[in-house]
Amino acid sequence: PSPKSLQPNGASEEALRCEIEELKQKELALDQEIAQLLSEGYSLEELDKHISLLHEYNEIKDAGQMLLGKLAVIRGVTTKQLYPEYDLELSD
């Protein structure tokens, strides 16, 4: 292909410019959010640790939900019906 055929047409070029601008705005917003968190005394290591712990929590919660689901099937009830038996809130 010729170099000219590799260049985007006008509409595609404009779409790419818009996408680049949107990404620059998102980057700026994230930089501002990071700066605010750092000014509040958070460290990057602390934030990374917090994110890691949230992932671990979600994995454990998913496993618990799976076990409740299997138990509900075995007992022939809904998962919701098991919540009071294990002192769980529906928002858990």
Side-chain angles (χ1 to χ4, degrees), residues 18-47:
C18 288
E19 187 175 349
I20 289 169
E21 188 58 36
E22 287 175 16
L23 289 171
K24 285 180 181 179
Q25 292 299 320
K26 286 180 183 179
E27 179 183 28
L28 179 62
L30 288 171
D31 286 344
Q32 290 172 344
E33 188 175 345
I34 289 170
Q36 181 178 348
L37 289 169
L38 292 174
S39 73
E40 292 173 3
Y42 292 98
S43 69
L44 292 177
E45 294 80 17
E46 185 179 11
L47 294 172

Side-chain angles (χ1 to χ4, degrees), residues 1 11 15-16 21 33 35 41 48 50-52 61 67-69 72 78 80 85 91-92:
L16 287 174
E21 188 58 36
E33 188 175 345
D48 286 341
H50 185 73
I51 290 169
S52 176
K61 183 177 176 183
L67 290 173
L68 276 176
T78 66
K80 183 178 176 180
E85 183 177 337
S91 61
D92 287 343

Side-chain angles (χ1 to χ4, degrees), residues 65 68 71-72 75 77-92:
Q65 290 292 330
L68 276 176
L71 183 59
R75 291 189 181 177
V77 297
T78 66
T79 304
K80 183 178 176 180
Q81 291 171 311
L82 293 176
Y83 273 56
E85 183 177 337
Y86 295 99
D87 295 322
L88 298 172
E89 298 292 325
L90 288 177
S91 61
D92 287 343

